[in-house]
Amino acid sequence: MTRASGPSSRASGATRRRVFGEAIQMKWTQPKACVHRDGSVAQRCLGRDYAGVLIHDGWAPYDDFRKARHQQCLAHLLRRCRELLDQAARGAVRFPRQMLELFQQALRLRDRRQARQISAHGLAVARGSLRNHMLDALLPIKHHAANERFAKHLYNHRDQLWTFLEIPQIDATNWRAEHAMRCAVVLRKVWGGNRTEAGANAQAILMSLWRTCQQRGHDALDWLSHHLRQPAALFPLPP
């Protein structure tokens, strides 16, 4: 399946027994539930050899998709910058401020591209400038421990920060997956039947059908009602 826009991915926090992960593409959504918080959810959804584009937060198991193009979610990175600023004092505020400004510059570049206010050449030059300024800020050792951890994360994923500026169809954040996960998070907190294997599988299947119908402009309740009345056990998804 071609995924030119790239799926967004998200893994939610754990309940007593279940962790929900979700892969969402423009025309389908696939939630999964598992007992362990590891990379098995994403690998079951996409396959370990997936070679498309992934938009995600900094969860380490996404690094196992070595053939994929990655986009680190800028919303998560911006949130981390602000958290560091809230905790920092004196000279420790400089690094998160630099990162915050660079990420905001990147988002302004995206907006200028969408408004056709910058040429392809101008965008490429600006993208290169962002990369250079990022490296200049990341390389010096940080005396503040939290800043150093953040700098190491950004350096290790430096090729995953500006993919959305190279491929216009790519989002800068994984907001699609975050939005799709809201229902699962609510159900998780009030049980929703997902603390048993059968309940978790049933919830994942129903949520996948429900969200996919919504993405394709179908009424999920009507579609499910119609097909569940059919004698055939298997039926195709709506086009």
Side-chain angles (χ1 to χ4, degrees):
M1 177 179 293
T2 299
R3 299 180 177 91
S5 59
S8 299
S9 299
R10 185 201 177 202
S12 76
T15 65
R16 287 169 58 189
R17 292 191 61 188
R18 301 287 157 191
V19 177
F20 271 91
E22 187 139 6
I24 178 169
Q25 210 262 348
M26 294 299 290
K27 290 197 173 183
W28 57 262
T29 297
Q30 186 178 5
K32 287 286 186 180
C34 68
V35 176
H36 304 291
R37 187 176 174 82
D38 56 24
S40 62
V41 176
Q43 289 179 20
R44 289 209 304 271
C45 286
L46 299 172
R48 191 180 184 91
D49 294 329
Y50 174 68
V53 178
L54 284 172
I55 309 167
H56 54 79
D57 58 19
W59 193 37
Y62 292 128
D63 294 337
D64 293 336
F65 293 91
R66 301 187 184 279
K67 296 182 180 180
R69 289 287 305 276
H70 294 261
Q71 171 60 55
Q72 292 274 321
C73 175
L74 256 63
H76 285 79
L77 298 176
L78 287 167
R79 190 179 306 125
R80 192 164 173 182
C81 289
R82 295 185 179 104
E83 290 171 354
L84 287 172
L85 281 171
D86 289 341
Q87 302 166 6
R90 299 183 179 179
V93 303
R94 181 181 178 185
F95 177 68
R97 281 179 180 170
Q98 287 177 311
M99 296 301 99
L100 190 67
E101 176 58 28
L102 287 174
F103 293 135
Q104 290 173 339
Q105 284 182 26
L107 293 175
R108 289 194 291 270
L109 276 174
R110 175 204 59 186
D111 295 341
R112 290 179 61 195
R113 179 187 63 194
Q114 292 176 347
R116 300 179 183 274
Q117 295 175 349
I118 188 170
S119 66
H121 175 72
L123 181 62
V125 171
R127 193 168 59 237
S129 178
L130 279 175
R131 285 199 180 98
N132 291 336
H133 282 95
M134 174 70 72
L135 280 176
D136 289 343
L138 294 179
L139 289 176
I141 300 297
K142 313 295 182 292
H143 299 293
H144 188 271
N147 284 351
E148 179 63 14
R149 284 194 299 272
F150 190 34
K152 285 182 177 179
H153 173 79
L154 293 176
Y155 183 82
N156 290 337
H157 299 88
R158 60 192 182 278
D159 294 329
Q160 303 177 6
L161 302 176
W162 320 118
T163 308
F164 73 100
L165 292 177
E166 299 175 21
I167 307 175
Q169 296 82 5
I170 299 302
D171 293 326
T173 73
N174 67 340
W175 70 271
R176 298 180 193 275
E178 295 282 346
H179 180 73
M181 284 290 288
R182 287 179 184 174
C183 181
V185 171
V186 172
L187 290 176
R188 180 194 71 194
K189 292 179 178 177
V190 296
W191 180 35
N194 60 55
R195 293 182 186 174
T196 65
E197 190 72 28
N201 289 334
Q203 183 181 336
I205 291 169
L206 287 173
M207 287 178 57
S208 178
L209 290 171
W210 199 274
R211 288 288 303 172
T212 299
C213 283
Q214 288 181 334
Q215 286 172 264
R216 300 186 181 192
H218 296 268
D219 185 283
L221 188 60
D222 287 347
W223 188 85
L224 285 170
S225 175
H226 172 74
H227 284 87
L228 287 174
R229 292 190 180 101
Q230 302 303 310
L234 298 176
F235 42 84
L237 283 172

